Amino acid sequence: MASVEVALKEMMAGVEGSLGAAVVDYTSGMALGTLGGGKDLDLTVAAAGNTDVIRAKVRTMEQLGLNRRIEDILITLDSQYHLIRLVTGRTGNGLFLYLVLDKARSNLAMARHQLKRVEEAIEI
């Protein structure tokens, strides 16, 4: 089982082109941990903003009566991918993994695979 610190390191090291990673509690919008980022990528602000994205999607699914599980949400910018993966399992309820990638240097399929692996191993 992986702690938040280990999960962040695995997210960043496991995917070429990773710019930043966070583990976020979407009930509060607070990042439990971040790694990477910089002056052009404030992961704390991004964590809070992406909390709104998840809440909106969950609310919409409830209104539509969709009883499905969200695996991940992809936001594509001109030069970046922002990948959000909800953590399932008994210890991860209410959490999501957030990974920002350089679009030109990263492999989106590998990033999704790595986030799935981290999601299965994380324990809070």
Side-chain angles (χ1 to χ4, degrees):
M1 297 295 168
S3 67
V4 170
E5 182 179 328
V6 170
L8 290 167
K9 289 178 182 176
E10 288 180 5
M11 289 165 61
M12 291 288 288
V15 182
E16 186 176 342
S18 297
L19 302 174
V23 176
V24 185
D25 176 349
Y26 69 81
T27 57
S28 68
M30 297 289 293
L32 302 180
T34 62
L35 186 62
K39 68 179 183 83
D40 294 331
L41 178 59
D42 185 332
L43 290 169
T44 304
V45 172
N50 284 309
T51 295
D52 293 336
V53 171
I54 291 173
R55 288 178 185 160
K57 186 60 186 172
V58 168
R59 184 174 52 252
T60 301
M61 289 177 63
E62 287 172 355
Q63 291 171 346
L64 293 171
L66 297 175
N67 295 322
R68 306 283 182 195
R69 181 176 80 83
I70 298 171
E71 286 186 19
D72 54 41
I73 297 171
L74 172 65
I75 300 168
T76 305
L77 305 179
D78 59 350
S79 64
Q80 296 175 344
Y81 292 124
H82 291 235
L83 189 56
I84 300 166
R85 182 166 184 97
L86 274 68
V87 178
T88 58
R90 65 187 210 302
T91 64
N93 198 19
L95 300 179
F96 69 90
L97 306 176
Y98 175 58
L99 182 62
V100 179
L101 304 164
D102 180 314
K103 192 174 176 182
R105 297 183 1 212
S106 62
N107 180 319
L108 186 55
M110 290 301 296
R112 290 184 72 220
H113 178 72
Q114 183 68 8
L115 284 188
K116 181 178 180 187
R117 289 183 46 212
V118 170
E119 182 239 340
E120 291 170 349
I122 195 168
E123 188 169 297
I124 308 298

